[in-house]
């Protein structure tokens, strides 16, 4: 199939993004494989997909990500089955642990041991989608809940799933979480993936695939990642459009010493740059933080510059671990990107 294209809807800012319905319609017409909606602590990931998916017929509809702290495993299983029926089997459940700031500060849920919590969560979701009984005794989740009235009993979904093997993809950045995705999921939602520095990801995936009971192999495992693509004859001007985005994640997401995105770039060899970006961002000097993101950093994880330069660099991305590259662009850029990727 080659490298597929997806459209990253992200999450809303102060309100719904203007013109998004036309963008989704055009993306499907141009041959994009999927659209992906996100959530943080504002708009949710499922409602926009249901609304926009009603106007499409072919594209897959994925969450990138549905945060686990936002819903019990049962609520997520219900939503996934419902979406899959409504879309005729086009739904992809993307799950992630988010970070401690959002998990504890917004959802009021504990964050420690996210890998163990993820393992239990996914197991319950899969059981309930397959119409298994709501019985589970884990470290983080117990069904039925102990205590209470004592009237709780194991139940089966009244809704029969359209697909019992509905795909689940996991968001992961650290090697341990990537290995977990390879073991228990159908795909990996990457972030700030670099095809120039991915040996540690390949090793983590291989470790997960080798574990007993792993669901997939490298041949049938999906790897989805958002990649900023900016076509402009001026490389620096194109990079300038990406720098604030990288500065936000490197400098402003999470806390000092607890920022997974920072760690991704530090592993690429940019630790000194990351420290400066974070210092500036946390001091409220956001413009300076963005300016401190070097063009080299941008080019490791994004495609920026003239068409010929991007076309040449795409050969590296097409030979990478990615199976689906998601992009965010206007109508004209969506067409240009499709031409560059699909030829």
């Amino acid at each position: 199939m080659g490298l597929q294209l997806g459209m990253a809807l992200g999450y809303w800012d102060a309100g719904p993004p203007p013109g998004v319905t036309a963008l989704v319609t055009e993306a499907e017409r141009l041959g994009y494989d999927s659209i992906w909606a996100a959530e943080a602590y504002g708009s949710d990931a499922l409602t926009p997909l249901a609304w926009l998916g009603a106007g499409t017929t072919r594209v897959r509809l994925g969450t990138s990500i549905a945060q686990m702290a936002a819903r019990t495993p049962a609520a997520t299983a219900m939503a996934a089955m419902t979406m899959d029926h409504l879309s005729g089997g086009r739904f992809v459940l993307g799950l992630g642990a988010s970070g401690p700031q959002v998990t504890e500060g917004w959802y009021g849920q504990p964050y420690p041991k996210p890998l163990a919590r993820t393992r239990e969560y996914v197991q319950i979701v899969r059981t309930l989608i397959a119409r298994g009984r709501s019985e589970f005794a884990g470290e983080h989740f117990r069904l039925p809940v102990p205590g209470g009235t004592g009237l709780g009993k194991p139940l089966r979904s009244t809704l029969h799933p359209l697909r019992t093997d509905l795909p689940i993809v996991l968001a992961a950045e650290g090697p341990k979480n990537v290995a977990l995705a390879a073991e228990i999921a159908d795909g990996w939602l990457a972030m700030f993936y670099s095809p120039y520095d991915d040996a540690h990801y390949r090793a983590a995936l291989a470790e997960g695939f080798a574990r007993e009971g792993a669901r997939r192999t490298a041949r049938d495992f999906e790897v989805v990642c958002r990649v900023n693509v900016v076509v402009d004859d001026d490389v620096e001007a194109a990079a300038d459009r990406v720098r604030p985005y990288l500065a936000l994640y490197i400098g402003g997401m999470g806390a000092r010493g607890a920022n997974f995105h920072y760690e991704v770039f530090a592993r690429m060899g940019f630790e000194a740059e990351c420290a400066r970006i974070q210092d500036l961002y946390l001091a409220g000097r956001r413009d300076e933080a963005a300016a401190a993101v070097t063009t080299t950093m941008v080019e490791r994880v994004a495609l920026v510059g003239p068409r010929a330069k991007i076309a040449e660099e795409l050969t590296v991305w097409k030979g990478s671990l990615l199976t689906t590259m998601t992009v965010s662009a206007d109508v004209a850029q969506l067409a240009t990107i499709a031409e560059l990727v699909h030829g």
Side-chain angles (χ1 to χ4, degrees), residues 81-106:
M81 286 190 289
T82 304
M83 282 290 299
D84 208 40
H85 272 288
L86 289 173
S87 64
R90 293 187 284 139
F91 184 64
V92 182
L93 177 59
L95 292 173
S98 189
Q101 284 185 321
V102 174
T103 298
E104 297 179 356
W106 180 253

Side-chain angles (χ1 to χ4, degrees), residues 22 27 36 66 77 87 100 106 108 128 161 187 198 201 210 223 226 256 258 286 295 307 331:
W36 300 80
S87 64
W106 180 253
L128 299 183
D198 66 355
Y201 289 138
V223 180
R226 177 174 176 174
R256 196 183 299 276
R286 296 184 180 183
T295 303
R307 287 178 63 117
V331 169

Side-chain angles (χ1 to χ4, degrees), residues 155-221:
L155 301 169
R156 296 184 194 275
S157 170
T158 59
L159 175 66
H160 289 237
L162 184 64
R163 294 180 294 168
T164 57
D165 61 344
L166 188 152
I168 297 176
V169 295
L170 285 185
E173 289 184 272
K176 291 181 180 179
N177 213 3
V178 172
L180 180 67
E183 177 191 355
I184 70 171
D186 303 294
W188 166 37
L189 283 169
M191 189 170 188
F192 301 129
Y193 169 84
S194 172
Y196 306 100
D197 187 14
D198 66 355
H200 57 294
Y201 289 138
R202 292 179 183 270
L205 289 170
E207 177 189 335
F209 292 139
R211 292 176 183 170
E212 184 177 357
R215 285 180 57 84
R216 300 285 179 179
T217 68
R219 292 185 297 276
D220 61 358
F221 188 76

